[in-house]
Amino acid sequence: MSNSFILRDRDRGHDLIRSDGTRSSYIAGHPDGFVTRASSFNFHDYQAGRPGFGPIRVFGDEVFHGAGCGYNMHPHHNFVICAFVLQGELTHLNTAGAGVVDQLRQGDYYVFSAGSGGKHSELSVSPEDMNAIYIWLMPNQLYRPPAYHRAHFDYRRRRDCIEQLVGDGDGALPVPQDIRVSRLVTDAGKSFPYRLRSTAHGVYVFVLEGSVKLNGTELGRRDSSGIWDVEQVELTATADATDVMIVETLMIDDDKIKKWETEQAHH
């Protein structure tokens, strides 16, 4: 018997963080700048009323408003952070390897494995709003060497197929976890089966734009659903220019997650 949940856009955690100086060690930008964040799961400040999904602790839909807004340099370790830019330009500085200064625009995405320890800063330098999806996940091994990879998804050329962006697929960015992040851009009336690696895996489907039926359940813009203990799911677009993120991962026992969160509480 399958297990599932539905998370509507209105039921996500919605937060507004102002760049007014009260959190200047973390939030960058002029006094009129601010970050809006909609969260699918619970993790520290990311709150949505749902636990994580497998090793995923954060699925954040964030917008940086105002020139220079974003996050000042801050540390991570034993986390993998992925960002998928939907709008605007993201300037990303990180300390992996010899250090990287990267500029990402619509369709660009990165995987930053902080591993044994790394720092990064994420800023929207221009006045245009920057919108990105952030996914944080636990690695399958602690204290790996930090690593950074980036790529581009061309939604105009890669339509009508489920394109793997992160994981072990051809051309996908590597990630130290049993997880695959894919994207589907298509039009109304087109259906696509997605077969999971095993019934021990689950799939989290998030609608960026448009609408889909997932196993017969209608999901609108920014709605999402998690399903596990199934062999396959069926996605049918019900609007033109529908854009969907599909995240498949090995499910993890809740007790193991709680133990890991306790150990990583200050990191």
Side-chain angles (χ1 to χ4, degrees), residues 105-109 150-156 158 165:
R105 299 173 178 83
Q106 184 184 49
D108 293 335
Y109 58 100
R150 61 106 75 192
H152 178 75
F153 173 75
D154 188 343
Y155 65 92
R156 292 164 296 187
R158 296 157 80 175
L165 308 182

Side-chain angles (χ1 to χ4, degrees), residues 14 33 53 56 71 84 96 147 156 160 166 172 230 235 252 262 267:
H14 290 271
F53 192 75
I56 301 170
Y71 299 116
F84 303 83
R156 292 164 296 187
D160 299 326
V166 175
V230 296
L235 296 97
I252 297 177
T262 299
H267 305 317

Side-chain angles (χ1 to χ4, degrees), residues 72-169:
N72 285 317
M73 190 68 78
H74 59 279
H76 290 284
H77 74 267
N78 292 330
F79 252 120
V80 180
I81 298 168
C82 311
F84 303 83
V85 178
L86 306 178
Q87 174 191 348
E89 181 178 280
L90 175 65
T91 299
H92 183 223
L93 294 78
N94 69 81
T95 60
V100 178
V101 179
D102 200 2
Q103 288 183 306
L104 302 102
R105 299 173 178 83
Q106 184 184 49
D108 293 335
Y109 58 100
Y110 74 70
V111 175
F112 173 43
S113 179
S116 58
K119 292 185 176 183
H120 72 159
S121 173
E122 298 172 281
L123 303 169
S124 176
V125 176
S126 75
E128 180 186 5
D129 285 354
M130 193 290 302
N131 180 202
I133 297 294
Y134 285 94
I135 301 175
W136 296 19
L137 57 130
M138 302 180 292
N140 57 13
Q141 179 182 327
L142 301 182
Y143 302 108
R144 287 174 173 267
Y148 179 77
H149 304 277
R150 61 106 75 192
H152 178 75
F153 173 75
D154 188 343
Y155 65 92
R156 292 164 296 187
R157 296 184 179 183
R158 296 157 80 175
R159 295 177 69 92
D160 299 326
C161 66
I162 296 176
E163 187 80 21
Q164 189 183 143
L165 308 182
V166 175
D168 53 4

Side-chain angles (χ1 to χ4, degrees), residues 7-50:
L7 184 63
R8 300 294 180 187
D9 176 27
R10 64 181 177 272
D11 297 323
R12 296 186 295 166
H14 290 271
D15 196 13
L16 188 152
I17 311 166
R18 298 191 180 277
S19 177
D20 57 8
T22 58
R23 300 183 63 186
S24 59
S25 62
Y26 184 45
I27 303 298
H30 299 290
D32 58 347
F34 59 97
V35 175
T36 56
R37 174 191 293 163
S39 305
S40 295
F41 305 121
N42 289 347
F43 184 76
H44 293 288
D45 293 337
Y46 293 79
Q47 296 294 319
R50 280 219 58 86

Side-chain angles (χ1 to χ4, degrees), residues 199-220:
T199 54
H201 289 74
V203 63
Y204 178 66
V205 175
F206 184 90
V207 181
L208 296 168
E209 300 292 342
S211 58
V212 300
K213 281 188 177 178
L214 176 65
N215 286 4
T217 298
E218 186 79 26
L219 300 176

